[in-house]
């Protein structure tokens, strides 16, 4: 019998967010499922270099994201190329996500927890837009044109919010923790801006793992759709 293969759709604001948030889970899912990425902004503001062109930063970061995704076994990566820092202002954003959900038909959708205490406005905006888009993809009467272009309603099974202040589900990433760290290291252009990232990520994985008795874990707030 063929192994069941689910589509796991990771929708994150910036090129390094998937690996930082849940690279260990992605590596595990990719062993048997189809994992797809949607990267909302190519992160052109992600540099401390005063004379660096944002366009070059975006190119570099897309390249790193492609390499990290390939390394983890991700099947597809879609860049929406919205402006870094201004994701919440793009009027078509929710519809774009809804169209992609209807078309890619994921079992699981993973995004930022918009209710977590955090600094980056793009993380909050992405989390909220994904939640709204799930409703539109599920109940197509909100936007009847989607049916006119051949899309059928799609109800994903679960939404996983991460990182989160209140994990309700912890994945055991003890066997893929090293792979997660290697994948983060591929985002070379960002490492300088992530001081002490190795010890911080390790501590987080230990703390979250402890909740469910694993050596290393990644926590999610799970919502069933
Ligand atoms: Zn980010």
């Amino acid at each position: 019998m063929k192994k069941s293969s689910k589509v796991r759709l990771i929708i994150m604001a910036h090129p390094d967010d998937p690996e930082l948030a849940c690279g260990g889970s992605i590596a595990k899912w990719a062993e048997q499922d189809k994992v797809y990425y949607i990267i909302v902004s190519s992160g052109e503001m992600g540099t401390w270099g005063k004379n660096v062109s944002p366009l070059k930063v975006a190119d570099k970061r897309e390249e790193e994201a492609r390499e990290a995704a390939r390394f983890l076994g991700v099947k597809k990566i879609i860049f929406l190329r919205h402006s870094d820092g201004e994701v919440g202002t793009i009027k078509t954003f929710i519809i774009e996500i809804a169209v992609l959900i209807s078309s890619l038909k994921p079992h699981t959708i993973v995004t930022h927890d918009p209710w977590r205490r955090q600094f980056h406005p793009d993380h909050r905006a992405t989390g909220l837009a994904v939640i709204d888009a799930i409703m539109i993809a599920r109940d197509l009467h909100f936007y009847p044109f989607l049916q006119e272009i051949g899309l059928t309603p799609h109800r994903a099974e679960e939404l996983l919010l991460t990182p989160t202040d209140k994990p309700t589900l912890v994945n055991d990433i003890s066997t893929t923790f090293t792979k997660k760290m290697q994948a983060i290291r591929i985002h070379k252009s960002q490492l300088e801006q992530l001081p002490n990232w190795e010890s911080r990520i390790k501590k987080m994985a230990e703390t979250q793992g402890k909740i469910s008795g694993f050596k290393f874990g990644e926590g999610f707030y799970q919502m069933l759709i």
Side-chain angles (χ1 to χ4, degrees):
M1 207 162 71
K2 209 179 152 228
K3 262 201 208 162
S4 73
S5 176
K6 293 169 178 160
V7 172
R8 314 272 189 173
L9 179 60
I10 321 295
I11 309 173
M12 294 256 161
H14 308 109
D16 54 349
D17 291 336
E19 285 80 35
L20 285 167
C22 55
S25 302
I26 290 166
K28 280 193 97 168
W29 287 324
E31 287 167 11
Q32 74 165 61
D33 297 335
K34 292 191 197 83
V35 183
Y36 303 151
Y37 282 1
I38 296 173
I39 303 296
V40 180
S41 160
S42 297
E44 62 274 17
M45 302 305 177
T47 177
W48 286 350
K50 274 192 185 149
N51 301 312
V52 182
S53 149
L55 292 176
K56 287 205 174 118
V57 175
D59 271 355
K60 181 76 195 145
R61 295 195 67 182
E62 286 190 12
E63 206 179 285
E64 291 168 346
R66 280 199 186 89
E67 196 187 328
R70 224 178 0 249
F71 176 73
L72 291 178
V74 172
K75 294 271 188 297
K76 188 195 289 282
I77 178 161
I78 298 167
F79 295 100
L80 302 185
R81 298 189 175 129
H82 290 315
S83 300
D84 196 1
E86 298 186 24
V87 165
T89 65
I90 310 297
K91 291 195 183 110
T92 52
F93 184 30
I94 294 168
I95 298 297
E96 276 180 279
I97 300 284
V99 166
L100 287 163
I101 291 171
S102 300
S103 150
L104 298 170
K105 309 223 174 289
H107 170 278
T108 304
I109 298 173
V110 183
T111 191
H112 302 273
D113 182 344
W115 297 288
R116 176 184 184 236
R117 281 156 288 188
Q118 61 191 319
F119 291 102
H120 210 306
D122 289 352
H123 294 183
R124 286 191 293 276
T126 299
L128 287 174
V130 169
I131 290 164
D132 289 356
I134 286 170
M135 285 274 293
I136 293 168
R138 191 184 72 178
D139 306 321
L140 279 189
H141 290 300
F142 283 126
Y143 287 90
F145 88 93
L146 295 174
Q147 292 177 81
E148 298 297 333
I149 60 169
L151 291 171
T152 50
H154 177 70
R155 178 188 283 259
E157 301 266 324
E158 61 172 355
L159 170 66
L160 300 178
L161 302 175
T162 186
T164 181
D165 291 331
K166 294 186 191 311
T168 58
L169 173 85
V170 178
N171 276 350
D172 182 2
I173 60 155
S174 306
T175 59
T176 53
F177 177 73
T178 311
K179 213 164 180 188
K180 171 185 171 115
M181 298 301 264
Q182 285 170 311
I184 293 171
R185 218 165 278 131
I186 293 171
H187 296 276
K188 279 194 200 78
S189 69
Q190 301 306 297
L191 299 180
E192 188 200 5
Q193 294 152 89
L194 297 167
N196 307 319
W197 68 272
E198 282 172 302
S199 53
R200 284 165 64 183
I201 301 271
K202 184 163 182 253
K203 192 159 178 243
M204 169 91 114
E206 282 169 345
T207 310
Q208 307 232 303
K210 206 173 276 175
I211 300 169
S212 298
F214 309 135
K215 184 168 185 224
F216 296 118
E218 278 169 351
F220 301 86
Y221 189 92
Q222 184 190 44
M223 291 169 73
L224 299 177
I225 298 168

